Amino acid sequence: MPPKPKADNAAYKQLKKDIDQGSIGRLYVFCGEEAYLRDFYLGRIKKKLLPPGMEEFNLHTLSGKEFELKKLEQMVDCLPMMSERTLIVVSDYDIYKGDKEGLAALFADLPEYVCLVFVYDLIEYKADARTKLAGALKAHGSVVAFNRQEQGDLVDWVKRRFKADGHDIDSEEARYLIFLCGDLMNGLISEIGKISAYAKHHRVTREDIDAVATPQLDAVVFQMTDAIALKDFNRAALVLGDLFHMQEAPIKLLSVLGRQLRQLYAARLALEARKGTGYLMELWGMRSAYPAEKLMQSARRFSLAWCRRAVIRCGEIDLAMKSTGADGEELLTQLLLELAGPGAA
């Protein structure tokens, strides 16, 4: 698996600088996975450009379903009222599927009082660099990708969110929370709120996190393989029962388990070759060292032969699910019994 290319955050950093310095541009495309950051900075632009109480006159919105170039042109022509600028927000419209030449001309002639933002939320932004429109966007605007944050930045943000709720959390527990619940801020905010409401002491503990946080599927599957490594079959069976109660399709559960076992096999091979977590992170495109460290710790409890056999059996169970019509939950239970059998550790 080739390593994921490092995200280009230059436009994101420039946007923050422009907002802080009051030099907000005339044209932006907001895209990327991190919806929390996208909404946060769109909110900052609104506060900077729109005087309180004048939003109704100076904020214009248009959805992709109702988009027409003529409507957008009319919004652009609307002069600001008791404000220096107007803000136009267009949501979920693919600019490369409409009148590209008309949009390119509009981009090149935007008045200085206009700030036009195309927001991609429900649809993905896919640029076509061959078009005149792409050149006009590059010349007159900026594509800001709100990517998942690096772990160090995300840990600091988690700590600040807990502090705002009257709690402290150390870095290791913050990393555990991110591993358990995912690294998207919108999801973490709700989990932080639940944990803050539940925690009885100033410092948040792992017990507080485990008591109320809702783990993502990958983390639950890891808990099952971790229990197998510790020879705790009862715990592994309980985790599998929890997975069934999630009402996810057995084939999806098997897919996640298969990926986990392949990563575990890769970690065991890395240990055999005396390679560290950095190699595993590069191999699987991991942004954070935490899951790689946990995989390496877990891999030390398994033999290379067990890891290889587990990956093979997972593939055979996958084939059985897709070709025999056998009950998926029974096949998963059978696989767990084999994994937890003699030679597991």
Side-chain angles (χ1 to χ4, degrees):
M1 179 182 294
K4 295 181 181 178
K6 192 170 183 179
D8 183 3
N9 291 319
Y12 169 63
K13 293 177 180 177
Q14 185 61 46
L15 173 68
K16 294 198 292 183
K17 185 177 178 181
D18 290 345
I19 294 174
D20 291 339
Q21 295 179 351
S23 55
I24 297 170
R26 286 180 284 181
L27 175 63
Y28 294 99
V29 169
F30 282 4
C31 57
E33 297 175 290
E34 193 48 85
Y36 171 85
L37 286 176
R38 182 196 67 220
D39 295 342
F40 175 78
Y41 283 103
L42 184 59
R44 287 200 65 193
I45 288 177
K46 289 178 182 178
K47 287 183 179 179
K48 282 283 186 178
L49 298 185
L50 307 177
M54 302 304 295
E55 294 89 351
E56 182 179 350
F57 303 101
N58 298 310
L59 173 61
H60 311 286
T61 59
L62 191 61
S63 70
K65 292 182 179 179
E66 62 181 1
F67 182 90
E68 293 178 9
L69 183 57
K70 187 175 181 180
K71 287 183 179 179
L72 180 58
E73 290 172 340
Q74 290 172 346
M75 292 178 176
V76 169
D77 289 337
C78 288
L79 294 171
M81 180 178 291
M82 299 180 66
S83 172
E84 293 184 1
R85 305 194 60 183
T86 63
L87 174 62
I88 304 171
V89 180
V90 181
S91 302
D92 289 318
Y93 175 70
D94 190 341
I95 61 176
Y96 291 97
K97 289 188 176 179
D99 184 352
K100 293 187 283 292
E101 290 192 6
L103 277 174
L106 180 70
F107 292 170
D109 198 31
L110 282 174
E112 291 186 2
Y113 61 79
V114 166
C115 178
L116 172 59
V117 183
F118 288 88
V119 176
Y120 285 75
D121 181 20
L122 302 178
I123 65 174
E124 184 180 358
Y125 174 71
K126 294 181 179 179
D128 187 348
R130 302 166 298 176
T131 62
K132 183 179 179 181
L133 177 61
L137 180 56
K138 184 176 181 180
H140 305 287
S142 177
V143 178
V144 183
F146 295 95
N147 302 306
R148 293 172 186 257
Q149 297 296 284
E150 297 295 329
Q151 188 183 61
D153 295 334
L154 198 54
V155 166
D156 291 342
W157 176 81
V158 167
K159 294 171 79 170
R160 290 197 302 270
R161 294 297 305 185
F162 271 112
K163 188 173 183 179
D165 287 342
H167 290 281
D168 279 339
I169 186 171
D170 63 34
S171 297
E172 185 64 19
E173 302 311 322
R175 293 171 72 204
Y176 174 71
L177 174 63
I178 295 165
F179 170 75
L180 191 68
C181 301
D183 59 357
L184 286 174
M185 291 177 167
N186 269 346
L188 286 169
I189 280 180
S190 61
E191 299 301 332
I192 290 170
K194 288 192 299 183
I195 295 165
S196 295
Y198 173 84
K200 297 178 176 61
H201 303 288
H202 183 67
R203 180 165 293 277
V204 171
T205 65
R206 185 162 301 197
E207 288 72 23
D208 296 328
I209 296 171
D210 289 336
V212 294
T214 303
Q216 60 179 350
L217 184 57
D218 285 7
V220 178
V221 170
F222 188 92
Q223 290 173 352
M224 185 171 71
T225 56
D226 214 30
I228 293 171
L230 295 171
K231 299 182 180 181
D232 190 348
F233 175 72
N234 288 335
R235 173 62 181 158
L238 286 172
V239 174
L240 182 61
D242 291 339
L243 289 170
F244 289 154
H245 286 141
M246 286 182 173
Q247 297 184 338
E248 297 280 6
I251 192 68
K252 181 177 180 181
L253 298 179
L254 182 63
S255 174
V256 176
L257 177 60
R259 184 173 185 271
Q260 174 71 32
L261 291 174
R262 292 194 299 275
Q263 288 183 334
L264 194 63
Y265 186 25
R268 184 66 246 183
L269 288 169
L271 289 173
E272 298 288 331
R274 297 186 178 182
K275 294 183 178 180
T277 56
Y279 168 78
L280 199 61
M281 290 174 65
E282 182 179 358
L283 182 66
W284 285 93
M286 296 176 178
R287 294 180 179 86
S288 163
Y290 189 83
E293 291 167 358
K294 289 191 69 71
L295 278 167
M296 296 295 272
Q297 291 170 6
S298 188
R300 289 186 176 91
R301 304 189 184 109
F302 294 102
S303 69
L304 182 61
W306 183 94
C307 292
R308 183 183 296 116
R309 180 62 181 164
V311 170
I312 292 172
R313 285 299 295 140
C314 197
E316 291 170 348
I317 295 294
D318 179 79
L319 180 62
M321 275 193 193
K322 294 174 180 175
S323 61
T324 66
D327 183 85
E329 291 192 4
E330 288 184 6
L331 287 172
L332 276 173
T333 304
Q334 173 189 332
L335 178 61
L336 174 62
L337 289 168
E338 292 182 29
L339 296 178

